Amino acid sequence: MPFLGQDWRSPGWSWIKTEDGWKRCDSCSQELERETDQCSLSHNIILNSENEEVFSNEEHEYASKKRKKDHFRNDANSQSFYREKWIYVHKESTKERHGYCTLGEAFNRLDFSSAIQDTRRFNYVVKLLELIAKSQLTSLSGVAQKNYFNILDKIVQKVLRDHHNPRLIKNLLQDLSSTLCVLIRGVGKSVLVGNINIWICRLETILSWQQQLQNLQMAKQVDTGLTLVDLPLHMLSNILYRFSDGWDIVTLGQVTPTLHVLSEDRQLWKKLCQYHFAEKQFCRHLILSEKGHVEWKLMYFALEKHYPTKEQYGDTLHFCRHCSILFWKDYHLALLFKDSGHPCTAADPNSCFTPVSPQHFIDLFKY
């Protein structure tokens, strides 16, 4: 029997639990009621000032409902709807659940806006956005696209404010602008959700971000205390050996002549090559100097162009094999309250957790 009544696709009210039962949160409802009252007042003025009816009651009710939906749908300055720490990843319909979880839905519901404020998760989120820009941008829904660019805007503003890893963001924006140029030129051949003018505006915004990052100037800090260059040589060398990215070593080597000498250490680049690449790959791209020595630094950048490097992140999303749940693991809660980060029903939840790399996150939603 069909349901007869108002549209069941409501904008989604916020509810709070009280002693008397569940009650609707008044913050959103009062604002919408004020908008409706103002519209009703202006409607009565029109009817009183003019003898003919401009709007019928049915049209006024329809306009009121549409305004309520637009109030929830057209907030372009914030991430839409969800701030959850975990989601259930279901790939097929069951008796309990219909449909399946898409990449766009996962991107909407997981709290990426807060994740970029965490230094441990920042690089992880940026890498995930980069992979989506390269291959999965057209698979995002309209709401997911809006969330994607809202999070990207927050990342850019954070980098401009804190000067945190601008090279990583420049690479992301370069990949994203290249993808958008191809999609916009091939409009009609590829599927772009949304109006073409919206995508052109987004491309112009990306170009503006790139220009701001290009003009970014690092302010010289005046500090009379102990600085990096005051450390002993063996400690500076130990710091360089902790780096897993060759470009970070090159950048640090540009700070002082002493760091430049340490950054050119052949043993340092040999360890870095052995960490990221296999010995079989060395033989295919062997570079020797005039004296017959292996040029490990040149080999690293040559191998980097042909093979993926190992990725290191301070924190990642986790996937529970027992519950099929993707979640952010809060280590503080895990230590204090033995909280696994999601409602796990396994006897030993920690044994079911698997760290999810950015590429694994994309692969979870390929059907």
Side-chain angles (χ1 to χ4, degrees):
M1 180 176 179
F3 177 80
L4 300 178
Q6 291 187 347
D7 191 352
W8 58 273
R9 295 167 297 182
S10 66
W13 300 107
S14 297
W15 297 83
I16 56 176
K17 189 175 182 180
T18 64
E19 295 180 354
D20 299 330
W22 288 91
K23 292 186 177 181
R24 196 174 70 194
C25 184
D26 296 332
S27 59
C28 294
S29 59
Q30 289 177 356
E31 184 176 350
L32 291 176
E33 288 175 359
R34 285 197 299 268
E35 291 183 1
T36 306
D37 294 340
Q38 291 176 359
C39 182
S40 301
L41 179 61
S42 60
H43 177 64
N44 292 332
I45 293 174
I46 293 175
L47 292 178
N48 293 332
S49 60
E50 300 180 5
N51 294 328
E52 57 181 339
E53 288 189 359
V54 180
F55 297 104
S56 63
N57 291 332
E58 292 80 4
E59 291 173 339
H60 177 262
E61 184 179 357
Y62 172 78
S64 177
K65 289 181 179 179
K66 187 175 186 300
R67 189 180 304 104
K68 291 180 181 180
K69 292 181 181 179
D70 291 342
H71 174 81
F72 286 91
R73 291 180 180 175
N74 293 338
D75 183 11
N77 295 323
S78 61
Q79 188 177 6
S80 299
F81 307 128
Y82 298 101
R83 283 183 173 272
E84 299 182 9
K85 296 293 183 181
W86 59 268
I87 61 169
Y88 179 79
V89 181
H90 52 289
K91 296 187 176 183
E92 58 184 7
S93 297
T94 62
K95 292 182 180 180
E96 293 80 13
R97 295 178 180 270
H98 295 281
Y100 54 90
C101 186
T102 63
L103 175 64
E105 182 181 355
F107 191 80
N108 288 341
R109 298 182 63 178
L110 290 170
D111 190 8
F112 286 103
S113 292
S114 300
I116 62 176
Q117 305 302 328
D118 191 333
T119 306
R120 300 170 304 162
R121 298 173 178 174
F122 181 83
N123 290 1
Y124 179 82
V125 177
V126 172
K127 182 62 177 179
L128 182 58
L129 294 182
E130 184 179 347
L131 291 178
I132 293 176
K134 289 180 178 179
S135 61
Q136 302 295 322
L137 196 61
T138 56
S139 66
L140 298 181
S141 64
V143 175
Q145 290 173 11
K146 184 171 67 174
N147 287 339
Y148 181 94
F149 283 94
N150 285 338
I151 293 174
L152 186 58
D153 180 36
K154 292 181 180 180
I155 290 175
V156 173
Q157 300 308 320
K158 177 180 175 61
V159 172
L160 293 174
R161 182 179 65 254
D162 302 338
H163 299 171
H164 179 70
N165 210 341
R167 178 175 57 84
L168 194 65
I169 312 306
K170 289 179 181 179
N171 294 338
L172 167 60
L173 294 179
Q174 181 61 39
D175 292 334
L176 184 58
S177 61
S178 301
T179 301
L180 282 185
C181 287
V182 173
L183 292 175
I184 291 174
R185 289 195 192 104
V187 64
K189 299 179 182 179
S190 59
V191 179
L192 272 178
V193 178
N195 191 288
I196 185 63
N197 295 323
I198 296 178
W199 287 101
I200 294 175
C201 291
R202 287 170 175 170
L203 180 58
E204 292 175 350
T205 303
I206 293 171
L207 297 177
S208 175
W209 287 337
Q210 288 179 314
Q211 188 63 39
Q212 293 179 50
L213 292 173
Q214 192 67 29
N215 299 331
L216 182 63
Q217 297 291 333
M218 301 290 184
K220 187 176 181 179
Q221 297 182 353
V222 179
D223 192 355
T224 57
L226 186 68
T227 62
L228 182 65
V229 296
D230 297 325
L231 297 177
L233 290 180
H234 71 278
M235 294 186 67
L236 293 175
S237 179
N238 192 21
I239 291 174
L240 288 170
Y241 271 85
R242 300 287 180 176
F243 285 3
S244 61
D245 191 337
W247 287 107
D248 291 337
I249 296 176
V250 172
T251 303
L252 185 58
Q254 297 173 351
V255 177
T256 63
T258 302
L259 287 172
H260 176 71
V261 173
L262 293 175
S263 66
E264 296 294 327
D265 183 17
R266 292 180 62 254
Q267 192 66 24
L268 170 65
W269 290 98
K270 180 180 179 180
K271 291 287 186 183
L272 194 62
C273 289
Q274 291 174 342
Y275 172 76
H276 286 288
F277 310 107
E279 292 185 3
K280 293 182 179 180
Q281 297 169 342
F282 295 164
C283 301
R284 299 174 185 174
H285 302 276
L286 191 62
I287 301 176
L288 300 176
S289 64
E290 295 179 355
K291 297 181 180 180
H293 299 301
V294 178
E295 294 285 355
W296 290 107
K297 181 178 179 180
L298 297 178
M299 275 188 57
Y300 171 82
F301 291 108
L303 291 168
E304 188 184 35
K305 295 178 180 179
H306 296 87
Y307 308 104
T309 58
K310 290 183 180 180
E311 299 175 356
Q312 282 188 336
Y313 303 104
D315 189 16
T316 67
L317 285 167
H318 287 71
F319 183 73
C320 181
R321 299 185 302 274
H322 178 77
C323 307
S324 295
I325 284 180
L326 190 65
F327 64 98
W328 290 110
K329 186 175 181 179
D330 195 323
Y331 290 96
H332 298 288
L333 293 178
L335 292 174
L336 294 175
F337 306 107
K338 296 182 179 180
D339 185 2
S340 62
H342 75 286
C344 187
T345 58
D348 185 11
N350 291 325
S351 63
C352 305
F353 298 164
T354 302
V356 178
S357 66
Q359 185 59 53
H360 186 197
F361 179 89
I362 300 294
D363 295 338
L364 278 175
F365 303 98
K366 288 183 178 179
Y367 303 105

